[in-house]
Amino acid sequence: MTALAPARPATRRALLRLHRPALLVWTAFVLLAAGELLWVHYSAAPQERTCARHWCAYTTFADADSVMRLLGEALCYAPCAVAAWAGAALIGRELESGTARLVWTQAVTPVHWLTAKLTAAALPLLAGASALALVFDSVWSADQDVLAAHWTWDRVFVPRGPLLPALVLFGLAAGALAGLALRRALPALAVACAACVALRLYLRDLWQPLRGPLTGFWPLHLAATGTVLALTAAATVAAYAVLRRRTGVLAPGIPFEPLPAIPHVMSP
């Protein structure tokens, strides 16, 4: 274990360099969405309150309610993009090209490799999704008088609290599991994205039955969040189980017997 300690910061730095474009895209998305939400609160909503007292014209899809609807839908499906990226670029591509096997021979165990990848990806994803959920909830709560959507609508229910970060983490876990199971970038992308879309489409079926014993937004929202986190934990455990079966590694820090190399011509 002590021999691996110096490699860990270097591994994280290498991962950040490798996936810098994806990090920049995620950062740009978070800033753009947060900016649009703040525009709704500080510009569109006050203008519509004024228009309620004095007639004025406004452009379709530029009013507060339309922008919130579009942002809500975009945030609901953002975890699907995370799942596709995790399955293809984060895990699947390295297994397909043989890069992962090369890393495993450089004093980095498969478990440490996967843990470093998931951690390096989860931190910015969790921070960005949490910030967006906080801003969305603040804007929606302050400007309900000019918004038509009810809190039971998915485009409001999902991005208004911790359910959004939970779904993003599920996308990451689902992508990792698909990449490890399929070991090919494009199939893993398709399967991970499909799993996230299915969860998104049937998410209401998970929390609707709770409307009997639970009432109000937060009890239902937290119950749905707990359900998604349980699915995320299951996907993560399954990912490590697949990795252990593929490599024969027993636990972090315990040496493993490398598998025979897969014949593959790597691009220069």
Side-chain angles (χ1 to χ4, degrees):
M1 290 295 289
T2 55
L4 292 177
R8 291 180 179 178
T11 302
R12 294 191 184 97
R13 288 194 296 270
L15 286 172
L16 290 176
R17 287 195 300 269
L18 179 62
H19 298 290
R20 185 178 299 168
L23 178 61
L24 292 176
V25 170
W26 173 247
T27 302
F29 172 76
V30 170
L31 293 176
L32 179 62
E36 286 292 310
L37 288 168
L38 293 176
W39 174 83
V40 167
H41 179 63
Y42 288 107
S43 179
Q47 181 180 358
E48 292 189 16
R49 291 188 186 96
T50 301
C51 289
R53 297 188 298 267
H54 308 90
W55 183 90
C56 58
Y58 59 88
T59 306
T60 305
F61 299 116
D63 62 293
D65 187 61
S66 296
V67 172
M68 289 294 286
R69 290 187 184 197
L70 291 175
L71 286 173
E73 287 293 342
L75 293 177
C76 283
Y77 283 100
C80 302
V82 172
W85 168 77
L90 187 67
I91 302 295
R93 184 173 61 187
E94 291 202 15
L95 292 173
E96 184 176 15
S97 65
T99 305
R101 292 181 183 275
L102 179 61
V103 172
W104 297 343
T105 63
Q106 305 300 315
V108 176
T109 66
V111 169
H112 173 241
W113 169 82
L114 179 59
T115 302
K117 279 187 165 293
L118 292 179
T119 302
L123 292 178
L125 288 172
L126 188 59
S130 299
L132 287 175
L134 180 63
V135 176
F136 190 97
D137 177 58
S138 299
V139 172
W140 194 88
S141 299
D143 300 315
Q144 291 182 55
D145 57 315
V146 296
L147 302 176
H150 193 263
W151 67 261
T152 56
W153 294 17
D154 286 356
R155 66 175 66 100
V156 175
F157 186 83
V158 171
R160 203 185 147 197
L163 181 56
L164 177 61
L167 284 169
V168 169
L169 291 180
F170 173 80
L172 177 62
L177 175 58
L180 288 165
L182 300 175
R183 293 182 291 177
R184 295 293 183 269
L186 289 180
L189 181 154
V191 170
C193 188
C196 225
V197 169
L199 179 61
R200 163 67 185 91
L201 294 178
Y202 294 100
L203 181 62
R204 180 175 290 269
D205 295 336
L206 295 178
W207 63 268
Q208 280 287 59
L210 300 175
R211 296 196 65 178
L214 300 176
T215 57
F217 170 77
W218 284 110
L220 287 169
H221 187 90
L222 293 177
T225 301
T227 302
V228 173
L229 288 177
L231 294 174
T232 302
T236 303
V237 170
Y240 278 98
V242 171
L243 178 68
R244 184 167 58 249
R245 186 174 68 250
R246 298 251 184 231
T247 62
V249 65
L250 298 177
I254 297 180
F256 68 99
E257 190 69 26
L259 297 177
I262 298 177
H264 186 85
V265 178
M266 297 180 63
S267 301

